[in-house]
Amino acid sequence: MAAISSRAAKTLAVDCPLNKALMQVIDKLHHPEFNPQGALNLGLAHNDLLHQKVFAKCQQCLEIVPHDVNYGAPQGSKRLLDLLQSFFTRHFKPYYPLEAEHIFTQTGAGASVNQLIMSIADEGDYCMLPGPYYGAFDLDISVHTGVNIVEVFPHGISDTNIDGDELERVYQLAQSEGKRITSILVTNPDNPSGRCYSRQDLETFLKFASKHNLHYVSDEIYALSSFSHLVDTFKQDPFHSILSIDYKSFIDPNLVHVIYGMSKDFAINGFRVGFIITQFNEPLRLALMRSAGFSYTSTIMDRLLSNLFSDEIWIDEYLQENRQMLAETYTKAIQFLTKHSIDFIPAEAGPFFMIDVRSIIRRNRNREATFEDETQLWHNMITRGVYLAPGSVFHSQDPGFFRLTFALPWEILEHGLNLVLESFE
């Protein structure tokens, strides 16, 4: 008899370069006060700019009452879902009125992706992912679901202008190979580039999904961390939620779903809170209700979140302050890179952006960059005491890029950037 099921064996066979890279350095990463000999973490997507503010508020919101020792609502209490409905309505500006029953609370955005894929795709199906993409999607999409990934590169690494013809070419190629694509997952704002798709690009995605009857999943976990309009006040907020678009004009609305979470905009990764929003697909909502017990919202977390979201003034002021802090720290970071002749891809949202070290590799190696060069430079950084995420873990087609997390206090970030400089020597 086999030691594990065939399903578990398939899960173990799922390749995830991001996870492999992290496991190589996880014991070396540190917070300076705990392990000063480790590697400063500028690679994971975290936001430390307002940690004390968030920590203090969550302390105030943490309340346990006798009722909390009983079972609660696994998908979120009525109070919480009503507050979330108000939050999403204020900040995501849904074109179609959003109702509380459209929202399902999960244990993190990764769990939200996994539970949603489980309910909209069958084993052996394929999900199309525009790349480069967040590397943990390899696990979120495939673990236990039996769903596979088809990569597509409809735009360059330094832009987000969608080539609809490339989407179609990859789809037709997959069809010819017997691969049944049933969904497409679009991350907006994008990870790893930190850029936002224009409304026109989102419509291109919707039209493509509609043509082939694909579920359209919009991962918007960095939605409220856009900042480029604060760096350049002549610009407008670059982020458009798919909820804000009249998507019925482009696609069967039963096929449109949104993922969100508390880890990034609210900087509470460890709380493990995510959301699935689906406005029109009643059978899907019934299925998510049935599986909610496997991603259960605890009564304590439900109460904390309810207390947090009930303070709308604090929520809205915090989000604005966070954006301002991101804008200021991003500006300092790119000024540092510019001063030291390090290329980068300008970002618009989130706690990170991509640096381009191809010219440094050309200068040092007298040839074009390879993924082997990227890996060697990555090891140099770790040896120097700083961790960045190499582009290869995001399935980049172009070697010589690293995702740099900048959302840290400036004195810590500046120290890390100087370590990056030393690794180029």
Side-chain angles (χ1 to χ4, degrees), residues 110-130:
S112 300
V113 171
N114 188 262
Q115 289 292 309
L116 179 60
I117 291 294
M118 184 76 79
S119 297
I120 63 175
D122 291 318
E123 185 174 2
D125 285 354
Y126 283 77
C127 175
M128 180 176 279
L129 270 179

Side-chain angles (χ1 to χ4, degrees), residues 40 42 336-337 339-340 342 384 386 410-425:
L40 183 61
L42 304 186
F336 180 100
L337 296 177
K339 176 182 177 180
H340 294 282
I342 301 175
R384 291 288 185 175
V386 62
W410 174 243
E411 62 274 12
I412 297 175
L413 177 60
E414 184 179 31
H415 174 60
L417 291 172
N418 278 309
L419 294 175
V420 171
L421 283 181
E422 291 178 12
S423 71
F424 296 155
E425 296 174 356

